[in-house]
Amino acid sequence: MSGDERLSQFLNEGKDWERKPTSIAGVFLFKLPEYRGRPPTIAIEINPLNSNGAPSKKRGIVIKSLDELKSILELIGNSKVLQLAQSIDNVNPERKTVVKSDSTDVFEI
């Protein structure tokens, strides 16, 4: 089964709000339900993994289209955003880490 066929299957058979891991750590498929006349869709969720191997946030960055991804990449690539993140690291207290666990159902990219 091709990647497009598997995505179609996930779109048709996946549960609303279902998050499916991919073969890229921290990248998930995310099924968005029908909303105000918009049909159900699949989005990409970027959510870095914590030391347990679980998503580090309840909801990561949800990307619904190629144009949206390009805009996000442009923002993330901005040197001032990098500088801001570095400053935040310098100010915030250090976080504790937890042991990693295994996940089973992975969408191979």
Side-chain angles (χ1 to χ4, degrees), residues 43-105:
I44 298 167
E45 180 186 9
I46 307 295
N47 197 341
L49 304 180
N50 63 21
S51 57
N52 283 340
S56 60
K57 304 195 174 299
K58 183 174 181 177
R59 187 68 60 224
I61 299 171
V62 177
I63 302 166
K64 300 176 189 173
S65 69
L66 181 58
D67 287 339
E68 193 172 346
L69 174 60
K70 288 176 181 178
S71 296
I72 290 169
L73 288 171
E74 186 177 314
L75 290 169
I76 289 173
N78 186 315
S79 62
K80 290 186 178 185
V81 173
L82 178 62
Q83 182 181 1
L84 178 60
Q86 192 170 20
S87 296
I88 289 171
D89 279 349
N90 293 337
V91 174
N92 283 338
E94 202 172 306
R95 298 185 75 165
K96 296 179 183 178
T97 59
V98 186
V99 181
K100 186 177 180 178
S101 68
D102 296 329
S103 73
T104 56
D105 189 22

Side-chain angles (χ1 to χ4, degrees), residues 11-23:
L11 179 61
N12 295 323
E13 298 174 8
K15 297 177 183 171
D16 290 348
W17 305 111
E18 182 177 347
R19 176 192 284 160
K20 187 175 192 77
T22 68
S23 58

